[in-house]
Amino acid sequence: MREQPRKRDSIQTQERILLAAQAEFARKGYDGARVDAIIARAKISKNLLYHHFGSKEDLYIRVLERTYETLRRRQGDVPLAGLDPVEAMRRLCESTFQVFIDEPDIIVMLNTENLHRGKHIAKSPIIRALYNRLSDTIRTILDEGVRQGVFRPNVDTVELYISMSALGYFYLSNRFTLSLLFERDLKAQENLARRKAHIVDMVLSYLTNGAPQGRWTPSAASIPLAGDAGADTPS
């Protein structure tokens, strides 16, 4: 059955509003964002916006949900089923970092929500459910790694994901100050590739340390380049 024109128009209008709202919230945060600016950007009336979203907070929560949905969808787009646990974990590490690179608004939105102490995501059951599924995926990979003897046992899935995410999140959220301090362009493609390899090495070195058959060789891309202005030098 073909989608009814009215329903299709409604979905397209909501999408236009959400895109405009994401741009406004990402630029100015929740407190600084203005509904009138969102309306102007979306080219709709105020009545139409409030027809689809009851308040500024409702709209912001929906944008947050889309932000987390994008993060989880991009991670979920990476096929992990059937892979050996080391390769599955490597791909999960890489995809988590890559989505932060490709979707910079995610970092801005998460920073804003943390300034508000998470009070808006607390009102969304959708976001919590997304992370329950992520924990299940990580636990499946870890359990298989333990069964094969390549991962250490008793790894906490929450602690692991926080560490995996933080290794990329901090790098990108602080890239402007760190680039100046260390005289290294952190957004340069070669440095992004090196960071991605470094994240994989850090996570897999931890997981394989102490495992019966745990072996991990650091990637060449994670080794500092000779003559790099940002590389450590003897004092």
Side-chain angles (χ1 to χ4, degrees), residues 190-210:
E190 64 270 22
N191 289 326
L192 290 173
R194 193 189 317 178
R195 185 62 185 181
K196 184 181 290 185
H198 179 76
I199 293 170
V200 171
D201 290 339
M202 291 283 284
V203 171
L204 288 177
S205 294
Y206 163 71
L207 290 176
T208 59
N209 181 39

Side-chain angles (χ1 to χ4, degrees), residues 56-162:
K56 176 183 174 181
E57 184 181 42
D58 289 343
L59 180 56
Y60 179 72
I61 290 171
R62 183 63 193 117
V63 171
L64 273 176
E65 288 173 346
R66 279 167 57 96
T67 298
Y68 280 96
E69 286 167 350
T70 298
L71 177 57
R72 287 296 299 118
R73 185 184 68 251
R74 289 286 304 274
Q75 291 169 325
D77 285 344
V78 179
L80 302 177
L83 296 177
D84 72 80
V86 171
E87 178 63 15
M89 190 59 68
R90 181 184 71 80
R91 293 194 186 186
L92 184 59
C93 288
E94 290 179 342
S95 67
T96 299
F97 184 51
Q98 190 62 46
V99 71
F100 288 145
I101 296 171
D102 296 342
E103 307 281 350
D105 282 357
I106 288 178
I107 290 178
V108 178
M109 292 296 297
L110 299 190
N111 285 345
T112 297
E113 183 58 10
N114 275 287
L115 288 175
H116 287 272
R117 300 174 182 261
K119 73 175 185 180
H120 299 104
I121 67 169
K123 300 177 182 180
S124 170
I126 292 175
I127 295 173
R128 194 171 294 113
L130 289 170
Y131 275 76
N132 288 338
R133 293 200 295 273
L134 174 61
S135 293
D136 290 343
T137 297
I138 295 174
R139 173 49 55 197
T140 298
I141 296 171
L142 291 175
D143 287 347
E144 181 61 20
V146 172
R147 189 189 70 79
Q148 293 185 20
V150 295
F151 287 167
R152 65 197 297 171
N154 304 318
V155 173
D156 187 294
T157 57
V158 174
E159 293 289 352
L160 179 66
Y161 180 73
I162 290 174

